[in-house]
Each structure stands twice: as structure tokens, then as C-alpha cells.
Amino acid sequence: SGDGGSANSAQITNVYGIFLDKNDNIYFCDRLNNQLRKVNKETNIISSLVTIEDPLGIAHTSTRNATKLYLSSFLQRIYEYD
């Protein structure tokens, strides 16, 4: 919970994997809430980007123009998010 509000007030449980993009925004898997979440560095606003069943970790690939995130789950699945 907490989408659209301050990250300081959000309910976050069992963080797995953290990634900082080129603008220092924070991405992480919120395991018990089954979400990929983002905290905007400039505004400190938190948002849920996608629902993932039992997320475990996060990896990325970056090019000059784009970053892709890869999310793994305890269910032995891998998801791609751009």
C-alpha cells in the first residue's frame, strides 16, 4: 500500500533485489505485496509498477536509450519489464 504517496509512509514487506536507474530512482521487489515498486528520487513518491507472484530478485540490462528489468520469482519464473 502507499501508491501515490510518500515512500516513508508506504507498507513494504520483505524487499528482495534493489536497482537504481540512471536518474537514481529506486526499483525493488516487494515480496509479500507481490509487486515491483518504484520510488521516484525527486518526489519520494512510491508506485507499484507490476504485480508478480512471489517476487525474488531483480536484474537489468541497459543501453544508451533503454533499460530492461528482469524479475525472478520463488515460483521459478522470470518476467521482463521495460
Side-chain angles (χ1 to χ4, degrees):
S1 69
D3 282 353
S6 169
N8 298 346
S9 302
Q11 279 189 313
I12 299 169
T13 53
N14 275 357
V15 171
Y16 279 77
I18 296 174
F19 167 70
L20 296 173
D21 68 14
K22 66 182 179 181
N23 298 315
D24 290 334
N25 296 308
I26 303 169
Y27 297 79
F28 62 93
C29 293
D30 185 349
R31 181 169 175 233
L32 295 182
N33 288 316
N34 295 315
Q35 298 289 324
L36 169 63
R37 302 190 86 180
K38 174 185 175 182
V39 177
N40 183 295
K41 180 190 179 217
E42 298 298 320
T43 63
N44 196 42
I45 299 295
I46 193 166
S47 56
S48 295
L49 302 178
V50 66
T51 299
I52 299 169
E53 191 173 0
D54 223 357
L56 171 63
I58 189 169
H60 77 283
T61 58
S62 296
T63 64
R64 192 177 318 196
N65 299 322
T67 296
K68 285 191 178 193
L69 299 179
Y70 299 91
L71 312 162
S72 62
S73 79
F74 278 100
L75 303 175
Q76 299 179 358
R77 296 181 182 142
I78 297 176
Y79 303 89
E80 182 179 323
Y81 179 83
D82 359 73

